[in-house]
Amino acid sequence: MRLIAVLFLILAFSSCKQTEEKREAGPIQSVAIEPIFSDSVSIRAIEILADGSLAFAGTMGKYGLFNPQTETWNTGVITYDSITPNFRAVAHTTQDFFMLSIESPALLYKTGDTGRMEVVYKEDDPKAFYDSMTFWNDQEGIAMGDPTDSCISVIITRDGGKSWNKLSCDLLPEAVEGEAAFAASNSNIKVYGDHAWIITGGMKSRVLHTADKGKTWEVFETPLIQGTPTTGGYSIDFYDENTGFIVGGDYSNAEAHKAVKALTLDGGKTWELVGDNQNPGYRSCVRFVPGSAGKGLVAIGFEGIDYSADQGATWKHLSDESFFTVRFLNDSTAYAAGTNRVSKLKFKR
């Protein structure tokens, strides 16, 4: 197994699959927040590995790895020629770690044979702006970004991330003028089995879906608020191939709570607003709680942390602490990241 850059010489990355709890946990009552990292970096992309270690990549080229056994961090900064890239998407396979930068040129880094991070995909289109990345398995992965042509940008690898190919707009639904995506939490894409769902936002907020790992695509409408550059869907998650959730809103009017949360029970074909006209308002990331039978949800954003035990029908505000993104380690522990920090979240029942 290749190691990840010089700062990742201690720990090897392992499979991203988490062991699903068989029992259904009780409802969450509160959350305890433990700061574990502080630095001058905005972090919107984190990954939890199967051994419980945590990786991130953020602004100013900074990335790092947390060892929960020793409670220590290894961090580093990467540059490309005279460019210091800003990262908002990360992913990993059993063998390698990946970081994808925003803005042009888009730079996708992968662990190389020497252990250093190497660029395996570069896109110079001035409109390039990638938002999210994930893998179906150790060989097949996907990343998405704003349109550079007449469709949402989608790149796919079939060889473990060694090479990436951009899909032709002939294969993808045509984007509506002003339809794009938000690089808010590295959760614009969700994969499950052979499926992938992509949430868009802006002037139009829709869900792009593939059931065959990106070979064919369809598009579904959402009822989320849309029609301005700051509105629409920001995050998507699926508990199984049928049960999914999207959150968003308008980050410039974060307290507005009309048409910001929606649920699907048919694999994304139709979406129903839930918890409408009630808090929370804008949130940048949503995740199903492991072991909750598709009922428990945690939504997170710069106005705090909220929890639902009933698929979003009602919500409990857990904290005013500001974060951008969250990932669960198990049904009671998660990591969250935001401006200048990473924290461990312990959910209490």
Side-chain angles (χ1 to χ4, degrees):
M1 178 182 291
R2 286 186 292 271
L3 300 181
I4 300 172
V6 174
L7 74 153
F8 290 168
L9 292 176
I10 297 175
L11 294 177
F13 282 82
S14 51
S15 171
C16 62
K17 288 184 177 293
Q18 301 294 323
T19 301
E20 183 69 14
E21 295 285 341
K22 300 300 182 183
R23 62 181 175 82
E24 182 178 345
I28 292 170
Q29 301 298 326
S30 63
V31 62
I33 301 173
E34 176 191 350
I36 60 172
F37 179 78
S38 179
D39 199 357
S40 298
V41 56
S42 177
I43 303 171
R44 294 179 180 266
I46 56 177
E47 279 277 284
I48 298 177
L49 312 184
D51 63 1
S53 55
L54 176 74
F56 81 84
T59 55
M60 299 177 290
K62 182 162 286 189
Y63 64 125
L65 181 71
F66 177 65
N67 183 335
Q69 281 72 47
T70 60
E71 297 186 344
T72 57
W73 284 91
N74 287 317
T75 62
V77 173
I78 199 164
T79 59
Y80 182 86
D81 293 335
S82 61
I83 299 168
T84 302
N86 294 303
F87 298 103
R88 296 193 186 181
V90 298
H92 75 280
T93 63
T94 302
Q95 294 293 320
D96 294 296
F97 180 66
F98 299 82
M99 311 185 299
L100 178 57
S101 70
I102 58 172
E103 302 174 321
S104 183
L107 302 170
L108 200 165
Y109 286 86
K110 168 188 171 294
T111 316
D113 292 335
T114 64
R116 294 175 177 271
M117 300 301 292
E118 299 175 353
V119 174
V120 291
Y121 179 81
K122 181 173 179 279
E123 188 173 331
D124 291 309
D125 191 297
K127 295 180 181 178
F129 194 107
Y130 279 88
D131 306 286
S132 189
M133 175 172 54
T134 191
F135 275 77
W136 284 285
N137 52 53
D138 275 355
Q139 293 300 309
E140 297 167 294
I142 180 173
M144 64 81 58
D146 295 352
T148 58
D149 197 351
S150 61
C151 63
I152 292 293
S153 295
V154 176
I155 59 174
I156 287 180
T157 180
R158 308 284 185 193
D159 60 4
K162 296 181 181 68
S163 64
W164 295 75
N165 296 299
K166 190 168 185 177
L167 296 187
S168 166
C169 284
D170 294 338
L171 302 175
L172 289 160
E174 184 176 359
V176 175
E177 181 68 27
E179 182 180 16
F182 301 105
S185 59
N186 192 34
S187 58
N188 308 77
I189 312 170
K190 178 64 180 183
V191 299
Y192 187 91
D194 292 346
H195 296 267
W197 296 266
I198 293 174
I199 183 67
T200 68
M203 300 303 292
K204 191 71 173 177
S205 185
R206 303 186 295 175
V207 171
L208 281 63
H209 170 250
T210 176
D212 52 16
K213 297 179 183 172
K215 296 180 178 67
T216 61
W217 293 84
E218 57 190 338
V219 64
F220 306 126
E221 301 291 327
T222 82
L224 295 183
I225 184 174
Q226 51 200 282
T228 71
T230 58
T231 57
Y234 281 71
S235 179
I236 187 167
D237 195 25
F238 271 76
Y239 191 82
D240 53 38
E241 65 180 24
N242 293 312
T243 308
F245 205 85
I246 48 179
V247 299
D250 183 350
Y251 76 79
S252 68
N253 185 16
E255 294 182 358
H257 42 61
K258 174 68 176 173
V260 301
K261 307 176 288 290
L263 172 75
T264 182
L265 298 175
D266 59 10
K269 295 178 178 66
T270 61
W271 296 86
E272 179 182 355
L273 292 174
V274 292
D276 208 26
N277 287 311
Q278 64 173 278
N279 288 326
Y282 164 79
R283 291 295 182 266
S284 57
C285 190
V286 67
R287 280 292 178 264
F288 280 99
V289 179
S292 68
K295 298 176 183 177
L297 291 156
V298 167
I300 209 161
F302 60 72
E303 290 210 330
I305 304 170
D306 297 86
Y307 165 72
S308 174
D310 52 15
Q311 295 187 322
T314 60
W315 292 82
K316 179 182 180 67
H317 188 64
L318 299 179
S319 174
D320 292 331
E321 294 280 348
S322 173
F323 296 100
F324 296 138
T325 190
V326 63
R327 295 294 186 272
F328 276 91
L329 176 64
N330 51 48
D331 64 2
S332 59
T333 306
Y335 291 102
T339 301
N340 303 332
R341 64 174 177 159
V342 179
S343 293
K344 180 183 287 189
L345 309 183
K346 295 292 291 183
F347 296 100
K348 299 179 180 179
R349 292 176 166 84

